[in-house]
Amino acid sequence: REILTEESGTAKSDALKELLPYGFAIHHAGMTRADRNLVEDLFADKHIQVLCSTATLAWGVNLPAHTVIIKGTQIYSPEKGEWVELSPLDIVQMMGRAGRPQYDTEGEGIILTKATELQYYLSLMNQQLPVESQLMKALPDHLNAEIEMGSVQTIRQAADWLSYTYFYVRAVREPELYGATPSAGGENDDPLLLQFRLDLVHSAAILLDKHNLIKYDKKTGSLQITALGRVAAHYYVSYDSMATYNEHLKPNLSDIELFRLFSFSGEFKYIHVRAEEKLELAKLAPRVPIPIKES
């Protein structure tokens, strides 16, 4: 208690100052680094008995606990603009904090969720769910990198390259889940999903060609990288960001216009300004050489 009362004096957050003497603490991205370090150290040394935190703590910091309570399994997704269920990986990762072998002989995990999701979480803990591939979302970018390296030069080679991926392993097992036609055993039977793979790489190549990252000859099926495609592959820039630059980049842009153009990159889409940064930014705003039009 004495240690907690003493340490609470060094905390910058008023809420933390109030809670610490009672053995409670909070941890989230909005806190200062010093406060977060203080909480992590006190919890690791078992001075803090109860720590309320955001999901980030579970996979960002190695803090073992005896009991983990997940209060609510939904999280807001800026991508979809709605509340979605936490991924199985996050749940397992958070639960993994309870009863770590070298610290404890047993641990307890409690999940508070909707009755409709109950069966899903029970199966998650008791039986292995297959890991699904996410390659489809970024197929054009990966294909562009393969073309740039020279390992893929035709659409047929691109379809062969796809057969070496985990995406293909899952698509053969669960064709309907990945939008492929399941093997029927008839005249047009395609157990190796060759046509499906050709269609996918064809669509990706058309997108890359449209944005001038590659040259795609539909008659011969040949794929050739362009200077833009080479830049995208070398610097891991997505094809849609390259398309934005391609459309708006002009030889006579000023520095200010250049900065504004690059701020439209998809890579910055979900970067938000934190509450603690707003004060600092307000001080900086009148002094920066670039006028800020946006909010």
Side-chain angles (χ1 to χ4, degrees), residues 2 4 17 64 67 94 110 134 145 156 162 166 179-180 184 222 226-228 254 270 277-278 292:
E2 282 170 27
L4 288 172
K17 276 182 184 170
T67 305
M94 287 186 225
I110 300 166
Q134 304 297 315
R156 183 63 195 238
L162 207 52
Y166 180 66
S222 80
T226 63
L228 272 179
S254 67
Y270 303 116
E277 297 166 342
K278 285 185 178 173
I292 300 163

Side-chain angles (χ1 to χ4, degrees), residues 56-71:
T56 8
L57 181 74
W59 26 263
V61 182
N62 186 15
L63 287 182
H66 179 73
T67 305
V68 170
I69 302 172
I70 298 174
K71 183 186 172 292

Side-chain angles (χ1 to χ4, degrees), residues 21-194:
Y22 300 100
F24 286 84
I26 48 175
H27 188 291
H28 57 84
M31 288 164 65
T32 61
R33 177 32 70 197
D35 276 0
R36 278 183 281 169
N37 286 345
L38 173 69
V39 167
E40 285 163 25
D41 293 344
L42 289 172
F43 186 74
D45 295 339
K46 297 190 175 173
H47 297 303
I48 291 169
Q49 296 299 304
V50 178
L51 177 58
C52 295
S53 82
T54 48
T56 8
L57 181 74
W59 26 263
V61 182
N62 186 15
L63 287 182
H66 179 73
T67 305
V68 170
I69 302 172
I70 298 174
K71 183 186 172 292
T73 53
Q74 288 200 320
I75 193 163
Y76 186 76
S77 160
E79 216 168 312
K80 294 177 180 169
E82 60 184 31
W83 291 85
V84 295
E85 288 296 317
L86 273 166
S87 81
L89 191 69
D90 288 346
I91 295 281
V92 171
Q93 192 77 357
M94 287 186 225
M95 284 296 181
R97 295 279 166 263
R100 300 299 283 277
Q102 65 268 46
Y103 303 101
D104 220 329
T105 50
E106 57 176 9
E108 203 176 343
I110 300 166
I111 299 178
L112 307 180
T113 187
K114 293 178 185 171
T116 50
E117 300 296 328
L118 191 61
Q119 205 48 51
Y120 167 70
Y121 287 108
L122 283 173
S123 67
L124 180 66
M125 294 301 155
N126 299 323
Q127 61 199 62
Q128 188 66 51
L129 292 173
V131 176
E132 300 301 349
S133 167
Q134 304 297 315
L135 181 67
M136 282 271 271
K137 294 176 187 171
L139 186 59
D141 295 323
H142 287 284
L143 180 61
N144 183 61
E146 293 295 329
I147 298 167
E148 197 277 331
M149 285 193 296
S151 53
V152 166
Q153 291 170 349
T154 66
I155 210 76
R156 183 63 195 238
Q157 284 177 355
D160 289 343
W161 158 73
L162 207 52
S163 72
Y164 288 96
T165 63
Y166 180 66
F167 164 81
Y168 175 66
V169 173
R170 289 300 302 149
V172 170
R173 290 268 179 91
E174 300 277 349
E176 281 152 334
L177 191 64
Y178 287 86
T181 312
S183 189
E187 195 181 312
N188 301 319
D189 195 22
D190 186 11
L192 300 178
L193 302 180
L194 177 61

